[in-house]
Amino acid sequence: MTVADLLETARTRLNNNDPAGAARAFDEVLTTDPHRKEALLGAADTRLRMGLAAESTEYFMQAAREEPHYVSRPPCRVATALHTDQPALAIEAFEQQLAWGGRTADRLLELAIAHYYAEQWQSAVQYLNEALEMEPRNPQALAWRSRLAQIKDRHDLLIDRGRACCRDGRLDEGLQLLYESLELRDSYDARLYTGRALRARGELDAALVQFHLALEFRPESEEALIDLVNTFLLNGDADAAEGVLDGFLEEHLENSEALLLKTQLSLNKQDLEAATVCVDYLLAIDESLADAWLAKSQILEHQGLFVEARL
């Protein structure tokens, strides 16, 4: 087969969701032409799809070195792998882009993000500010500025990175970062997000401990309270969930989220009288709450008042 045929075969296999087959085709091209940029980038992409981020990085870096004037942005998936798995190489790649193609807001932002993943957040802020000087309304740069503004030290950085890993489904990695943040110091955020990560892994008892500790930092936090109550419910302990909720409402009687949750717990127990008291009190506080009217409709349906429930 010719190089063109092999490249077409690789593309076809990628379209058929066969990255391993595509990788073999790209590799065959590289045995004939080891400097072929399209094959090097294809090899990088297929390795990443196969979960081989380190190999993907090597192919991308080779493509960049083989063609010094190659200044287009790396494929997003490759850039992501560079950030999360080998940030030092990501920094090298994006610094090369600046050297070859000049300073643009997008390239400076990529370099800022790479420094963030390398835990060099002060350098990240520096490059981010430079990007915003060039494009003050760049939406991605503005979002990152807001994110980095919350980071004051390595403890905060580890929490932020841990949360990002958990959102991406990398729970083990995220938990490790959150535990590292707790080794530096204890905090409400570290406990809250550690609890959520543990709950996502199904470790409900351990998650309950973390939510209790979060509430010790901020007893008024409805966010931690709702996490605690919902985790009790997932753990099959409705009585404990209601006990925690009742204790919270004694101190925060007009908290709408807590009242809605109390209404739902009462409905689950078929205690329509208690549910009605809660939702009517909530609507007296704020009659514009759509969730409260929805709960009111559910109560009326449970009472057999279907016409009234639709009003």
Side-chain angles (χ1 to χ4, degrees):
M1 295 178 71
T2 66
V3 166
D5 291 335
L6 287 168
L7 289 172
E8 183 60 32
T9 298
R11 286 190 286 267
T12 300
R13 289 174 179 174
L14 272 180
N15 291 336
N16 291 333
N17 197 28
D18 180 14
R24 288 192 295 272
F26 284 126
D27 288 349
E28 196 169 341
V29 172
L30 291 171
T31 61
T32 304
D33 184 356
H35 307 290
R36 185 86 176 212
K37 183 184 70 179
E38 186 177 0
L40 287 167
L41 292 175
D45 189 22
T46 52
R47 262 61 177 193
L48 187 59
R49 297 189 192 203
M50 295 161 65
L52 304 172
E55 289 186 26
S56 172
T57 297
E58 290 175 9
Y59 278 108
F60 170 73
M61 295 301 293
Q62 186 179 344
R65 293 185 182 114
E66 291 288 349
E67 191 170 339
H69 298 294
Y70 171 60
V71 297
S72 63
R73 295 175 64 188
C76 291
R77 289 185 299 275
V78 174
T80 299
L82 286 165
H83 292 163
T84 55
D85 292 290
Q86 297 192 46
L89 282 177
I91 291 171
E92 179 186 345
F94 296 133
E95 283 178 344
Q96 285 179 345
Q97 285 192 306
L98 290 182
W100 299 335
R103 302 175 91 79
T104 67
D106 282 345
R107 292 182 188 129
L108 287 164
L109 179 58
E110 286 172 332
L111 190 53
I113 295 170
H115 277 279
Y116 162 84
Y117 281 107
E119 298 186 14
Q120 300 168 7
W121 73 94
Q122 292 171 331
S123 296
V125 170
Q126 175 187 333
Y127 285 111
L128 180 62
N129 288 339
E130 191 175 346
L132 284 167
E133 286 177 9
M134 300 183 75
E135 290 186 17
R137 297 184 179 179
N138 184 302
Q140 189 181 6
L142 289 170
W144 271 96
R145 183 174 68 179
S146 176
R147 180 173 177 177
L148 292 179
Q150 307 301 315
I151 298 173
K152 307 302 181 187
D153 54 23
R154 187 166 183 267
H155 169 83
D156 295 343
L157 177 66
L158 289 169
I159 292 174
D160 189 72
R161 288 191 58 213
R163 292 178 64 192
C165 287
C166 291
R167 286 194 297 269
D168 291 341
R170 304 197 312 274
L171 293 175
D172 290 345
E173 185 180 348
L175 264 174
Q176 180 60 39
L177 290 165
L178 290 166
Y179 285 140
E180 286 180 32
S181 77
L182 284 166
E183 290 174 4
L184 295 176
R185 75 167 186 272
D186 208 346
S187 73
Y188 168 82
D189 282 346
R191 294 298 180 181
L192 180 71
Y193 296 116
T194 299
R196 288 178 177 176
L198 288 166
R199 183 175 61 193
R201 290 212 314 184
E203 299 179 38
L204 300 182
D205 290 336
L208 289 169
V209 172
Q210 297 299 320
F211 293 136
H212 275 297
L213 290 169
L215 282 166
E216 288 183 10
F217 277 97
R218 295 185 192 172
E220 77 288 351
S221 170
E222 77 176 31
E223 192 175 24
L225 168 84
I226 291 170
D227 277 326
L228 179 62
V229 169
N230 284 332
T231 306
F232 270 126
L233 293 174
L234 285 172
N235 214 20
D237 195 344
D239 290 340
E242 191 163 18
V244 168
L245 195 55
D246 289 344
F248 183 84
L249 283 169
E250 286 179 7
E251 301 293 330
H252 310 279
L253 186 55
E254 296 189 358
N255 185 286
S256 60
E257 290 294 333
L259 284 166
L260 278 170
L261 199 49
K262 175 68 175 177
T263 302
Q264 195 58 53
L265 287 178
S266 298
L267 272 173
N268 291 346
K269 297 195 309 180
Q270 297 295 311
D271 188 346
L272 301 185
E273 183 178 352
T276 301
V277 170
C278 282
V279 80
D280 286 347
Y281 183 73
L282 184 55
L283 287 169
I285 297 171
D286 185 356
E287 63 178 10
S288 68
L289 282 173
D291 287 341
W293 285 111
L294 179 60
K296 180 75 171 179
S297 176
Q298 290 175 327
I299 293 169
L300 291 170
E301 287 182 356
H302 277 285
Q303 293 172 330
L305 304 172
F306 298 107
V307 174
E308 291 84 346
R310 296 190 183 93
L311 297 178

Short mmCIF file of all heavy atoms in Angstrom, two decimals, residues 233-257:
data_model
loop_
_atom_site.label_atom_id
_atom_site.label_comp_id
_atom_site.label_asym_id
_atom_site.label_seq_id
_atom_site.Cartn_x
_atom_site.Cartn_y
_atom_site.Cartn_z
N LEU A 233 -29.56 9.59 53.02
CA LEU A 233 -30.63 8.94 52.27
C LEU A 233 -30.08 7.85 51.35
O LEU A 233 -30.66 6.77 51.25
CB LEU A 233 -31.40 9.98 51.45
CG LEU A 233 -32.21 11.00 52.25
CD1 LEU A 233 -32.79 12.07 51.34
CD2 LEU A 233 -33.32 10.31 53.04
N LEU A 234 -28.97 8.15 50.68
CA LEU A 234 -28.34 7.12 49.84
C LEU A 234 -27.91 5.92 50.66
O LEU A 234 -27.91 4.79 50.17
CB LEU A 234 -27.12 7.72 49.13
CG LEU A 234 -27.39 8.65 47.95
CD1 LEU A 234 -26.10 9.31 47.49
CD2 LEU A 234 -28.03 7.89 46.79
N ASN A 235 -27.55 6.17 51.91
CA ASN A 235 -27.10 5.11 52.80
C ASN A 235 -28.26 4.37 53.46
O ASN A 235 -28.06 3.50 54.31
CB ASN A 235 -26.18 5.70 53.88
CG ASN A 235 -25.07 4.76 54.29
OD1 ASN A 235 -24.73 3.83 53.57
ND2 ASN A 235 -24.50 4.98 55.46
N GLY A 236 -29.48 4.76 53.09
CA GLY A 236 -30.66 4.08 53.62
C GLY A 236 -31.05 4.47 55.02
O GLY A 236 -31.75 3.73 55.71
N ASP A 237 -30.62 5.66 55.46
CA ASP A 237 -30.89 6.09 56.83
C ASP A 237 -31.71 7.38 56.81
O ASP A 237 -31.22 8.47 57.07
CB ASP A 237 -29.56 6.32 57.58
CG ASP A 237 -29.77 6.40 59.09
OD1 ASP A 237 -30.92 6.58 59.51
OD2 ASP A 237 -28.77 6.30 59.82
N ALA A 238 -33.00 7.23 56.49
CA ALA A 238 -33.89 8.39 56.39
C ALA A 238 -34.08 9.07 57.73
O ALA A 238 -34.23 10.30 57.80
CB ALA A 238 -35.24 7.95 55.81
N ASP A 239 -34.08 8.29 58.82
CA ASP A 239 -34.28 8.90 60.15
C ASP A 239 -33.12 9.83 60.50
O ASP A 239 -33.33 10.94 61.02
CB ASP A 239 -34.40 7.81 61.22
CG ASP A 239 -35.71 7.03 61.11
OD1 ASP A 239 -36.66 7.56 60.49
OD2 ASP A 239 -35.77 5.90 61.62
N ALA A 240 -31.89 9.41 60.21
CA ALA A 240 -30.74 10.26 60.48
C ALA A 240 -30.80 11.52 59.61
O ALA A 240 -30.48 12.62 60.06
CB ALA A 240 -29.45 9.51 60.23
N ALA A 241 -31.20 11.35 58.34
CA ALA A 241 -31.31 12.49 57.43
C ALA A 241 -32.29 13.52 57.97
O ALA A 241 -32.01 14.72 58.00
CB ALA A 241 -31.75 12.02 56.05
N GLU A 242 -33.44 13.03 58.44
CA GLU A 242 -34.45 13.96 58.95
C GLU A 242 -34.01 14.60 60.26
O GLU A 242 -34.28 15.77 60.52
CB GLU A 242 -35.78 13.23 59.14
CG GLU A 242 -36.93 14.17 59.41
CD GLU A 242 -38.28 13.51 59.19
OE1 GLU A 242 -38.36 12.27 59.15
OE2 GLU A 242 -39.26 14.27 59.05
N GLY A 243 -33.30 13.85 61.09
CA GLY A 243 -32.81 14.42 62.34
C GLY A 243 -31.84 15.56 62.09
O GLY A 243 -31.91 16.61 62.76
N VAL A 244 -30.92 15.37 61.17
CA VAL A 244 -29.97 16.43 60.82
C VAL A 244 -30.71 17.65 60.27
O VAL A 244 -30.42 18.80 60.63
CB VAL A 244 -28.95 15.91 59.79
CG1 VAL A 244 -28.14 17.06 59.20
CG2 VAL A 244 -28.02 14.90 60.43
N LEU A 245 -31.68 17.40 59.42
CA LEU A 245 -32.43 18.49 58.79
C LEU A 245 -33.23 19.26 59.83
O LEU A 245 -33.26 20.51 59.81
CB LEU A 245 -33.35 17.91 57.73
CG LEU A 245 -33.97 18.86 56.72
CD1 LEU A 245 -32.90 19.69 56.02
CD2 LEU A 245 -34.78 18.08 55.69
N ASP A 246 -33.88 18.56 60.74
CA ASP A 246 -34.66 19.23 61.79
C ASP A 246 -33.77 20.09 62.67
O ASP A 246 -34.14 21.22 63.05
CB ASP A 246 -35.41 18.21 62.64
CG ASP A 246 -36.56 17.55 61.88
OD1 ASP A 246 -36.97 18.10 60.84
OD2 ASP A 246 -37.03 16.48 62.33
N GLY A 247 -32.58 19.57 62.99
CA GLY A 247 -31.65 20.36 63.80
C GLY A 247 -31.21 21.62 63.09
O GLY A 247 -31.09 22.69 63.70
N PHE A 248 -30.99 21.52 61.79
CA PHE A 248 -30.59 22.70 61.01
C PHE A 248 -31.72 23.71 60.97
O PHE A 248 -31.50 24.93 61.12
CB PHE A 248 -30.21 22.26 59.61
CG PHE A 248 -29.70 23.38 58.72
CD1 PHE A 248 -28.37 23.77 58.77
CD2 PHE A 248 -30.56 24.03 57.85
CE1 PHE A 248 -27.90 24.78 57.95
CE2 PHE A 248 -30.09 25.05 57.03
CZ PHE A 248 -28.75 25.43 57.09
N LEU A 249 -32.95 23.26 60.77
CA LEU A 249 -34.09 24.17 60.66
C LEU A 249 -34.39 24.88 61.98
O LEU A 249 -34.96 25.98 61.98
CB LEU A 249 -35.32 23.41 60.16
CG LEU A 249 -35.33 23.10 58.66
CD1 LEU A 249 -36.44 22.13 58.31
CD2 LEU A 249 -35.48 24.40 57.85
N GLU A 250 -34.02 24.29 63.08
CA GLU A 250 -34.20 24.97 64.37
C GLU A 250 -33.41 26.27 64.42
O GLU A 250 -33.83 27.25 65.03
CB GLU A 250 -33.77 24.06 65.52
CG GLU A 250 -34.75 22.92 65.80
CD GLU A 250 -34.26 22.03 66.92
OE1 GLU A 250 -33.23 22.39 67.56
OE2 GLU A 250 -34.89 20.99 67.18
N GLU A 251 -32.26 26.28 63.74
CA GLU A 251 -31.40 27.47 63.72
C GLU A 251 -31.62 28.33 62.49
O GLU A 251 -31.31 29.52 62.49
CB GLU A 251 -29.93 27.05 63.78
CG GLU A 251 -29.57 26.23 65.01
CD GLU A 251 -29.66 27.07 66.28
OE1 GLU A 251 -29.43 28.30 66.20
OE2 GLU A 251 -29.95 26.49 67.34
N HIS A 252 -32.15 27.72 61.41
CA HIS A 252 -32.29 28.44 60.14
C HIS A 252 -33.68 28.15 59.58
O HIS A 252 -33.83 27.53 58.52
CB HIS A 252 -31.21 27.98 59.15
CG HIS A 252 -29.83 28.00 59.73
ND1 HIS A 252 -29.07 29.15 59.83
CD2 HIS A 252 -29.06 27.01 60.26
CE1 HIS A 252 -27.90 28.87 60.39
NE2 HIS A 252 -27.87 27.59 60.65
N LEU A 253 -34.69 28.64 60.24
CA LEU A 253 -36.07 28.26 59.95
C LEU A 253 -36.53 28.73 58.57
O LEU A 253 -37.44 28.13 57.99
CB LEU A 253 -37.01 28.84 61.02
CG LEU A 253 -38.48 28.42 60.95
CD1 LEU A 253 -38.60 26.90 60.97
CD2 LEU A 253 -39.27 29.03 62.09
N GLU A 254 -35.93 29.77 58.02
CA GLU A 254 -36.40 30.30 56.75
C GLU A 254 -35.49 29.91 55.58
O GLU A 254 -35.55 30.52 54.51
CB GLU A 254 -36.53 31.83 56.83
CG GLU A 254 -37.57 32.27 57.85
CD GLU A 254 -37.87 33.75 57.81
OE1 GLU A 254 -37.23 34.46 57.00
OE2 GLU A 254 -38.74 34.20 58.57
N ASN A 255 -34.70 28.89 55.76
CA ASN A 255 -33.82 28.43 54.67
C ASN A 255 -34.65 27.65 53.66
O ASN A 255 -35.18 26.57 53.96
CB ASN A 255 -32.69 27.56 55.24
CG ASN A 255 -31.70 27.16 54.18
OD1 ASN A 255 -31.98 26.30 53.35
ND2 ASN A 255 -30.53 27.78 54.20
N SER A 256 -34.76 28.17 52.45
CA SER A 256 -35.67 27.58 51.46
C SER A 256 -35.23 26.19 51.03
O SER A 256 -36.07 25.29 50.85
CB SER A 256 -35.79 28.51 50.24
OG SER A 256 -34.54 28.71 49.64
N GLU A 257 -33.92 25.98 50.84
CA GLU A 257 -33.44 24.66 50.40
C GLU A 257 -33.74 23.60 51.45
O GLU A 257 -34.15 22.49 51.14
CB GLU A 257 -31.94 24.72 50.11
CG GLU A 257 -31.57 25.52 48.88
CD GLU A 257 -32.07 24.90 47.59
OE1 GLU A 257 -32.23 23.66 47.56
OE2 GLU A 257 -32.30 25.64 46.63
#
